[in-house]
């Protein structure tokens, strides 16, 4: 095909047969087993959804009615839509265990411009997720300090848009930089930290559920859906990013010891564990405290304080900070691996794909970490949360469509997992994700559209010409971007 023909070049597909050879020379260490992968998935799914967004959706925010106890239904709707996408991810992950996740799947099945679209989308969305989680941690950190009699100045704990007299969220900025430092130490060290931190997180949630159930007042469930079904659907769109951490985990496929075998299992296991805990936790939260009185940024801390257990609230605030860190780590890992993969493919400069002696792409790790810190410091939590959701929902639509097309175009490709009820399951995932996208505010669509336009300009100015799929690419004359571990 001619690289000068736009209709051909933008739809060229990355051959699946080339991917395994590329992965062997990626410069990334293969150090993650099944349970470490599952821990990364659970770490990405469980966190701000329980500790921050559950309270936000239940209580509502300025201009947005609360879903009340029906926040449980919001999580179930989001979880059902996510499950369809998860099965699609599982099939692709067992077939293409490569860094890049949805970006790579779209590139292989639908063509380069679609791969670029979803990769560029994920760069912003993952960075935004890290930011929104940092904002959630900041809320719990502030609650913890208040519990021990320390009150931080308002100007440094909230943003100007929140209407609290704040200027910049310094704790949120600090935690973004801390997480970046942890991830920069290497995947092996990160995997160990994630396994321990996720175990602590699950124990904390089980403790919250086990203790909180004794303080449930059934009257708090009445009315169950105080504002109607509309806020419940809108809430499902808002909490959606609380149920898709497995997609960021799939970006670590090249760092798995046996990606084809372990990735599908880890994706499904992590979603099942997370949804069981979400259902129980939301029932306890809205049963302990009237939905109108729940603190949108530190729900469980306010719930235990309301029943006369301020010490427990303080303990929860401490451990919530640690547990939510795992979400940030998972998604920061995700953005760096997507960025690394796009750079390795030539769609972005190869400078970004350099790895150090620990097999870590340090340059993109720190750039993404600083970007998330800036976003967390100046934007309110709901604006950032909605921005992440529209991008991930778009990625889910692409992955679900890709798995349908690829099943029929390449039925011979070896698959370690086949999703059931093809094409009904991925088709449902596409429809559900598209429906949830429509529940988001028009301003979110405007920001999303602006980002994609910037991305398309970069693609046509740089990416299309430098892509390694272009036989005339200047990158063919360069040395491979990713050096072998220990080479520098």
């Amino acid at each position: 095909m001619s690289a000068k023909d736009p209709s051909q070049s933008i739809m060229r597909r990355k051959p699946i047969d080339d991917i395994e050879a590329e992965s062997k020379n990626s410069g990334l260490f293969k150090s993650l087993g099944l349970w470490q992968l599952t821990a990364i998935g659970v770490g990405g799914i469980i966190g701000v959804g329980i500790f921050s967004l559950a309270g936000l959706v239940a209580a509502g925010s300025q201009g947005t009615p609360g879903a009340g106890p029906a926040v449980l239904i919001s999580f179930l709707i989001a979880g059902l839509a996510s499950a369809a996408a998860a099965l699609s991810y599982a099939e692709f992950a067992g077939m293409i265990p490569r860094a890049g996740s949805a970006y790579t799947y779209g590139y292989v099945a639908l063509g380069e411009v679609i791969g670029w679209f979803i990769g560029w989308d994920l760069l912003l969305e993952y960075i935004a997720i890290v930011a929104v989680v940092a904002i959630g941690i900041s809320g719990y950190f502030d609650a913890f300090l208040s519990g021990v009699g320390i009150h931080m100045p308002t100007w440094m704990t909230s943003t100007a848009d929140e209407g609290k007299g704040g200027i910049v969220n310094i704790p949120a900025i600090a935690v973004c930089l801390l997480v970046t430092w942890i991830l920069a130490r290497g995947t092996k060290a990160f995997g160990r930290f994630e396994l321990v931190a996720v175990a602590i997180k699950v124990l904390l949630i089980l403790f919250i559920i086990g203790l909180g159930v004794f303080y449930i007042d059934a009257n708090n469930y009445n009315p169950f859906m105080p504002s109607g079904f509309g806020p419940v659907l809108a809430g499902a769109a808002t909490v959606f990013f609380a149920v898709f951490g497995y997609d960021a985990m799939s970006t670590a496929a090249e760092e798995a010891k046996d990606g084809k075998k372990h990735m599908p299992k880890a994706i499904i296991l992590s979603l099942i564990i997370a949804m069981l805990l979400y259902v129980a936790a939301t029932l306890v939260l809205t049963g302990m405290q009237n939905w109108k009185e729940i603190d949108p940024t530190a729900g469980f801390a306010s719930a235990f304080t309301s029943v006369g257990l301020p010490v427990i609230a303080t303990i929860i605030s401490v451990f919530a900070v640690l547990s939510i860190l795992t979400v940030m780590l998972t998604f920061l890992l995700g953005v760096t691996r997507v960025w690394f993969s796009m750079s390795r493919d030539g769609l972005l400069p190869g400078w970004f794909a350099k790895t150090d002696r620990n097999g870590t792409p340090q340059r993109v790790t720190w750039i993404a970490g600083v970007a998330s810190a800036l976003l967390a410091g100046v934007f309110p939590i709901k604006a950032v949360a909605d921005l992440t959701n529209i991008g991930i929902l778009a990625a889910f639509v692409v992955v679900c469509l890709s798995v349908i097309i690829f099943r029929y175009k390449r039925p011979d490709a070896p698959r370690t997992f086949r999703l059931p009820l093809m094409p009904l399951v991925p088709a449902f995932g596409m429809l559900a994700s598209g429906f949830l996208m429509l529940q988001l505010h028009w301003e979110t669509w405007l920001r999303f559209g602006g980002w994609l336009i910037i991305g398309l300009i970069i693609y046509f100015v740089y990416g299309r010409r430098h892509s390694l799929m272009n036989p005339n690419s200047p990158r063919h004359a360069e040395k491979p971007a990713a050096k072998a571990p220990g080479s520098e």
Side-chain angles (χ1 to χ4, degrees), residues 48-60 64-80 220-240 242-243 275 277-292 294-296 299-300 436:
V48 74
I50 285 183
F51 294 111
S52 292
L53 288 185
L56 176 68
V57 172
T64 305
V71 63
L72 167 65
I73 299 178
S74 296
F75 273 100
L76 288 176
I77 292 172
L80 188 61
N220 289 329
Y221 294 134
N222 188 25
F224 185 75
M225 198 179 294
S227 307
F229 198 59
V232 174
L233 286 176
T238 296
V239 303
F240 191 81
V243 293
M275 288 310 301
L277 293 175
Y278 272 140
V279 168
T282 52
L283 279 172
V284 168
L285 174 64
T286 55
M288 289 180 67
Q289 188 175 23
N290 185 280
W291 65 275
K292 296 179 181 178
I294 295 173
D295 183 345
F300 279 102
L436 290 176

